[in-house]
Amino acid sequence: MKAYRASLLWFAPHSEGPVRALFEEDGLLVVGPNAAGNQVVQAIGSYRDVVGRYPGMAVEHFPGRIIAPGFVDMHIHYPQTNVIGSPAEGLLPWLENYTFPEEKRFAAPDYSAQAATFFIAELLRNGVTTALTFATSHAESVNALFAEAQAQHMRLITGLCLMDRNAPADLLNRASNDGLVNATEQSLRDTEALIQRWHGKGRLGYAITPRFAPTCTDAQLRGAGDLAKQYPDVWIQSHVAENKDEITWARELFPQSRSYLATYDDFGLMRQRAVYAHCIHFDDADRALMRDTGTAAAISPTSNLFLGSGFFDYASADRVGFQYGLASDVGGGTSFSPFRTMLGAYCVGREGKTKQGLSLQPQHLWWQHTAGAARALGLEGVVGNLLPGCEADFVVLNPKATPLLARKTALATNLDELLFSMIVLGDDRLVERTVVSQAI
Ligand SMILES: [Zn+2]
């Protein structure tokens, strides 16, 4: 057992009505093993109330600091770390000149391993303790990332990228070495083998990962849907409705489906633990399909602003009522920092020309990247919060990390003002330390 004394930020258990953040100026967070031997939150509250229940316990004190839940990134591409900030004339040249050449390098285990080491260190440095991430179409890239996440005790979900058409030949899934099994069938066999090797091992989870419908044949999507049914607790991740050209293309390839989104449903790829990045250009039937299947959206604001893709419609999402959370979408996204992503989400919310504009509340923005994202992933009560029983993943924030942050946060008269100062002015400098739950 160990305790941490600092200001504490966490969230009230989910209920109908507005998101409610809880804040304790002088708080105590007590961490200790659960029955399975994993470090979880044992108690949280004011220092005065909690300390007497644990006599003689070691207490680490962080004066002037805020302990908050580790951030949850619902969509990121680990092979695109080097692609971030690459100049290009839109999505297609960006893919051809930067993304595809980089992703090809992940066929080599050594290249994948060093990229995985950097990627996970960079997430943790930015305070991200849970991530749902793409790998490449090479099993080597998946194995390297899982191995590094396991070594760092990080909660991480990834999977083999399924793409058996409409991409450069050396990025497509490959046939078996003896040529007897075609690429589509081999990609599904590899997916199943990787599920069995990694899913549920410690803090790791597998995600069935069609890149997006246009790069997958009907047979591959059907096979992915079959696996999703066979393994109901693995995740599904893909992209949908990011930009208009992509939608036109998807509609041409799958004309029998009601919409681009419905294509995934038609192949059995919408259910709880299915997560689709972007979800911008939806109609209400799409939104109802998200809600009725328990599928979640990974909103990727810095990527959508960078590529000019459009603006996620929060008002319509809430009116229909489907689940969502925030994502960096690096390398289309422009930062690993959850603070940049939350600020991007605020700007996206404000936009009022293409949809209803609104001002997302600071507590709600923070929730979207922690407890809300965890809930959307089916990990409510596991990560993204510091309620008793949650895995002890947290960040230690220094609200005086820069001169401007110090000046501004000192002026805060309530929790919303404090949180919004950090959302607008914050980046990796705010994150003094990241702690992930360890097995005993
Ligand atoms: Zn993406």
Side-chain angles (χ1 to χ4, degrees), residues 125-405:
R125 207 175 65 73
N126 277 281
V128 176
T129 51
T130 295
L132 171 58
T133 174
F134 266 60
T136 67
S137 51
H138 316 97
E140 294 84 351
S141 75
V142 179
N143 287 323
L145 188 59
F146 273 136
E148 178 63 14
Q150 194 171 43
Q152 302 302 326
H153 307 281
M154 185 181 176
R155 187 168 272 285
L156 182 125
I157 307 162
T158 189
L160 182 77
C161 190
L162 299 174
M163 46 193 314
D164 64 353
R165 64 167 170 174
N166 294 330
D170 41 4
L171 264 187
L172 296 177
N173 300 122
R174 289 163 289 184
S176 64
N177 290 337
D178 58 13
L180 295 175
V181 181
N182 71 31
T184 302
E185 178 58 26
Q186 189 60 43
S187 71
L188 299 167
R189 290 186 189 185
D190 288 346
T191 294
E192 185 160 25
L194 288 164
I195 290 171
Q196 289 171 355
R197 177 168 178 192
W198 295 109
H199 182 70
K201 264 216 176 151
R203 310 187 78 198
L204 307 178
Y206 194 87
I208 297 166
T209 307
R211 187 170 194 127
F212 66 134
T215 58
C216 304
T217 59
D218 286 41
Q220 193 174 41
L221 290 174
R222 196 171 301 114
D226 290 345
L227 286 169
K229 194 167 186 185
Q230 196 182 334
Y231 296 95
D233 66 335
V234 309
W235 282 264
I236 298 164
Q237 62 174 342
S238 194
H239 299 91
V240 76
E242 179 177 7
N243 73 51
K244 300 256 170 85
D245 291 345
E246 168 211 10
I247 293 173
T248 304
W249 191 24
R251 299 299 298 125
E252 284 165 12
L253 291 169
F254 302 98
Q256 72 281 14
S257 294
R258 192 204 67 83
S259 68
Y260 178 13
L261 179 71
T263 307
Y264 293 112
D265 190 44
D266 292 342
F267 287 103
L269 291 165
M270 292 185 71
R271 60 157 168 72
Q272 299 225 329
R273 295 198 167 193
V275 177
Y276 287 86
H278 308 302
C279 303
I280 295 171
H281 307 284
F282 271 1
D283 59 20
D284 270 357
D286 289 327
R287 295 184 183 101
L289 184 57
M290 294 287 288
R291 178 196 62 207
D292 296 343
T293 54
T295 301
I299 306 169
S300 308
T302 72
S303 172
N304 300 154
L305 294 167
F306 181 68
L307 294 168
S309 304
F311 304 89
F312 181 82
D313 186 345
Y314 278 97
S316 295
D318 286 343
R319 177 171 43 76
V320 176
F322 66 86
Q323 297 198 47
Y324 56 77
L326 287 179
S328 65
D329 192 29
V330 166
T334 51
S335 178
F336 277 77
S337 174
F339 296 98
R340 296 291 172 87
T341 302
M342 291 189 286
L343 175 58
Y346 180 79
C347 298
V348 163
R350 285 294 312 158
E351 191 276 340
K353 300 277 191 294
T354 64
K355 43 89 182 161
Q356 184 188 330
L358 42 74
S359 282
L360 293 164
Q361 296 301 302
Q363 296 181 27
H364 191 264
L365 286 164
W366 207 292
W367 175 86
Q368 285 184 55
H369 225 339
T370 52
R375 183 163 184 266
L377 285 175
L379 291 173
E380 185 176 26
V382 180
V383 294
N385 207 345
L386 296 175
L387 289 166
C390 287
E391 293 174 353
D393 287 347
F394 60 87
V395 288
V396 180
L397 305 176
N398 177 8
K400 296 184 168 40
T402 71
L404 183 56
L405 267 168

Side-chain angles (χ1 to χ4, degrees), residues 5-8 23 25-27 61-67 396-401 406 409 418 422 430 432:
R5 182 178 184 181
S7 295
L8 299 175
F23 190 77
E25 184 75 39
D26 183 15
H61 194 189
F62 295 96
R65 305 298 190 264
I66 301 167
I67 286 180
V396 180
L397 305 176
N398 177 8
K400 296 184 168 40
T409 55
L418 174 65
M422 291 191 281
L430 253 176
E432 203 164 79

